[in-house]
Amino acid sequence: MSGRRRTTTAHTAALLTILIWGTTFISTKLMLEDFLPQEILLFRFLIGYGVLWAIYPKGISLRPIREELLFAAAGLSGVTLYFLLENIALTYTLASNVGIIVSAAPLITAVLAHFLLGEKSLHLRFLAGFAVAMAGIVMISFNGASQLALNPLGDVLAFLSSVIWGIYSILMRKISSLGIPAIGCTRRVFFYGLVFMLPVCFSPGFHLGLSRFQDSTQLFNLLFLGLGASALCFVTWNWSVGVLGAVRTSTYIFLVPAVTVIASFSILHEPITVITALGMILTLAGLLLSDRSIHLFGFKRYKGKSREAHRSLDELG
């Protein structure tokens, strides 16, 4: 696969991932009526882990301790802590609040990539794109609200989850350079995530309660979260991070609130107002500006190079 085609495929994979992840707020919110946050977390990733084994049964030998620690840290951050914090935040604050705060992850990822990976991603156009996207997200999330409803505990948990996701993105950028197939990497990350989840099985009120899945709606939501949002999306996202980099891939998170609005309209029949539509346009514009800014930054760094060199840079993404 050529460099340009590989980059295009990675963008498509990241977009597909966000289209699925943008609807998970609805499934999780519905499941919270009958399940604890930690129960949803355990069930969905057990399913995801089993599916990845079925798809890629080839074992991966133990890596050097330094590399295994990368996998363990990715499992703790991107699987256990991120989704546990996000699920708990949804029980304390509005979904709109969580959507706005979590959408700050691209900026946090850019800051971490700048200082930890040396990526020169903190520049004016990226910040401008972030500001435009966040303006759109605010319009989407607070459309029709007379005032900003803040819940300190829920909002702080949501912010912590966005920081955790930034850390996970940086770790996956490191892991992607190890030369292990994306499915194998994701399965190893899920394994460590499940290991770190074990303590929540002893939390008050936790129980398997499999009879709850006799409700076809809850069973569908769980399968959607386990098969689609976990097994499939983590593979496509992790591969995209390896191709595009942590910052460029994370900019797609700007689209999550817009996707959630469209899903709410399609599934819950909630109306899309003019303000919401304008917010979605701003969000998309911010995404395009942020992504183009990274490309232009690379162009400026190599200003004066030959036309062939520019084409090579484009192929590398």
Side-chain angles (χ1 to χ4, degrees):
M1 186 184 295
S2 67
R4 183 177 293 279
R5 185 176 179 183
R6 181 180 172 86
T7 299
T8 301
T9 303
H11 279 293
T12 304
L15 179 59
L16 172 65
T17 304
I18 291 302
L19 291 176
I20 295 176
W21 276 349
T23 63
T24 57
F25 280 109
I26 297 174
S27 292
T28 301
K29 199 73 174 178
L30 291 173
M31 289 197 70
L32 284 170
E33 295 176 0
D34 299 315
F35 296 85
L36 295 176
Q38 55 268 39
E39 292 172 348
I40 298 173
L41 184 67
L42 180 64
F43 287 138
R44 68 177 284 186
F45 281 100
L46 276 175
I47 292 175
Y49 185 66
V51 169
L52 292 180
W53 262 111
I55 296 175
Y56 188 79
K58 183 179 179 180
I60 299 176
S61 59
L62 285 175
R63 312 290 296 182
I65 185 65
R66 194 167 185 174
E67 294 179 7
E68 284 295 330
L69 288 175
L70 285 176
F71 283 107
L76 175 61
S77 58
V79 175
T80 306
L81 291 180
Y82 173 77
F83 286 99
L84 186 60
L85 289 172
E86 184 182 89
N87 289 354
I88 294 175
L90 283 170
T91 66
Y92 285 101
T93 190
L94 300 175
S96 59
N97 289 36
V98 177
I100 284 182
I101 296 170
V102 170
S103 295
L107 180 60
I108 295 172
T109 302
V111 172
L112 293 175
H114 178 76
F115 289 106
L116 299 181
L117 299 180
E119 294 186 6
K120 297 183 178 181
S121 52
L122 289 177
H123 44 82
L124 183 58
R125 289 197 176 184
F126 176 83
L127 295 176
F130 174 81
V132 171
M134 288 304 294
I137 290 167
V138 169
M139 292 177 69
I140 292 171
S141 299
F142 295 123
N143 176 38
S146 59
Q147 59 182 358
L148 175 63
L150 295 176
N151 182 300
L153 179 57
D155 295 336
V156 167
L157 291 175
F159 176 74
L160 288 177
S161 71
S162 65
V163 174
I164 292 296
W165 188 258
I167 294 173
Y168 170 75
S169 297
I170 298 302
L171 290 170
M172 287 311 304
R173 180 63 166 165
K174 292 278 190 181
I175 291 173
S176 66
S177 65
L178 300 179
I180 302 175
I183 296 179
C185 283
T186 304
R187 195 183 68 203
R188 181 64 62 87
V189 170
F190 276 24
F191 168 77
Y192 281 110
L194 287 168
V195 169
F196 287 116
M197 275 181 222
L198 291 178
V200 308
C201 295
F202 301 98
S203 60
F206 183 96
H207 68 290
L208 294 177
L210 299 181
S211 60
R212 290 173 290 181
F213 295 118
Q214 292 178 353
D215 183 340
S216 59
T217 300
Q218 296 294 38
L219 178 60
F220 172 80
N221 286 326
L222 177 63
L223 291 177
F224 172 71
L225 292 174
L227 298 176
S230 297
L232 172 64
C233 287
F234 266 80
V235 171
T236 54
W237 185 264
N238 292 344
W239 182 77
S240 297
V241 168
V243 176
L244 302 175
V247 177
R248 292 186 72 182
T249 308
S250 291
T251 55
Y252 279 92
I253 294 176
F254 291 151
L255 291 177
V256 168
V259 174
T260 302
V261 168
I262 295 174
S264 297
F265 172 77
S266 302
I267 299 172
L268 303 178
H269 307 294
E270 296 180 355
I272 297 180
T273 65
V274 174
I275 294 178
T276 301
L278 289 175
M280 293 167 62
I281 293 173
L282 283 176
T283 301
L284 180 60
L287 169 66
L288 295 175
L289 178 58
S290 294
D291 185 70
R292 181 170 173 78
S293 68
I294 296 171
H295 175 75
L296 289 176
F297 189 83
F299 181 87
K300 289 179 180 178
R301 283 184 64 193
Y302 291 89
K303 187 174 182 180
K305 294 284 185 180
S306 67
R307 188 181 301 270
E308 289 74 16
H310 287 310
R311 282 200 294 266
S312 298
L313 284 172
D314 287 340
E315 291 182 351
L316 289 172

